[in-house]
Amino acid sequence: MIALFIVLSIVLLVVIFYIIFHKRIFNSYILNNYVKYYGRKTYKIARDFDYYLINQISLENHDNTTVDIDHLLFGNKFLYVISDYYFRGSLKAKEIDNSWIFKPNNKDEKAHYVDNLIIKSKALTRDLGNVTSLDEKLFIPIVVVNQDCLIEEYEHTEGNPFLVRINQLRKLVETIENRNVAPLEERQVYFAVRDIARLNQNKRHIRKVK
């Protein structure tokens, strides 16, 4: 009976520890590994829908700067330019503002301005079009943040990049792919993947799922 009591007590302590700390531990892991975590989520979309995917792209721009893209997902109808971010707190985000207000969860930290990620995403997409000579209309720029990031006052308008939490990414891609537009030609997608892969200076992160 004593042995059983000890075992049950240990199990109970483990359960209590898990309930109290698992979310904190998980969030700490995501904070330090969010690009990899988002990459796995994006990979599952590519795998499930038979899409091409290239992670961690670095392209040389015409002005000798680099165009860095976290994930480029090649759908049947569009190319998704995905940028990863993590905010431990809330974002007061408006498309037209030059900067956004980030309010950390930690009360000891003060709210401060951060770049408007929609503007950055639009510039990134424009640069990608310049480097690759692909039609910008093919690109769907998406800004992805962590699931527990609170987004305040944000409203998406047609033609602008999307801002979503990571758990909303799959649904967004599915919705866009269901638009009543003609699919891309398979050869067109293949050559786009091939050309970008050749230009990519970060060769070890090329991952073609199809």
Side-chain angles (χ1 to χ4, degrees), residues 77-150:
K77 297 180 179 180
F78 297 98
L79 279 60
Y80 300 89
V81 185
I82 302 171
S83 302
D84 299 340
Y85 294 93
Y86 187 98
F87 294 96
R88 184 173 280 180
S90 62
L91 279 177
K92 192 173 183 181
K94 292 183 179 180
E95 288 184 334
I96 60 174
D97 290 345
N98 290 327
S99 300
W100 292 349
I101 299 175
F102 170 56
K103 189 184 299 181
N105 286 336
N106 189 340
K107 294 181 180 179
D108 294 331
E109 299 181 42
K110 294 182 179 180
H112 58 271
Y113 289 104
V114 297
D115 291 335
N116 181 325
L117 304 182
I118 296 300
I119 293 175
K120 290 185 68 174
S121 183
K122 290 173 75 171
L124 180 66
T125 304
R126 182 176 61 250
D127 289 342
L128 178 61
N130 290 336
V131 172
T132 62
S133 298
L134 291 171
D135 187 348
E136 285 187 43
K137 294 179 181 178
L138 298 176
F139 299 139
I140 300 291
I142 304 175
V143 174
V144 177
V145 298
N146 44 303
Q147 187 169 335
D148 57 344
C149 176
L150 179 63

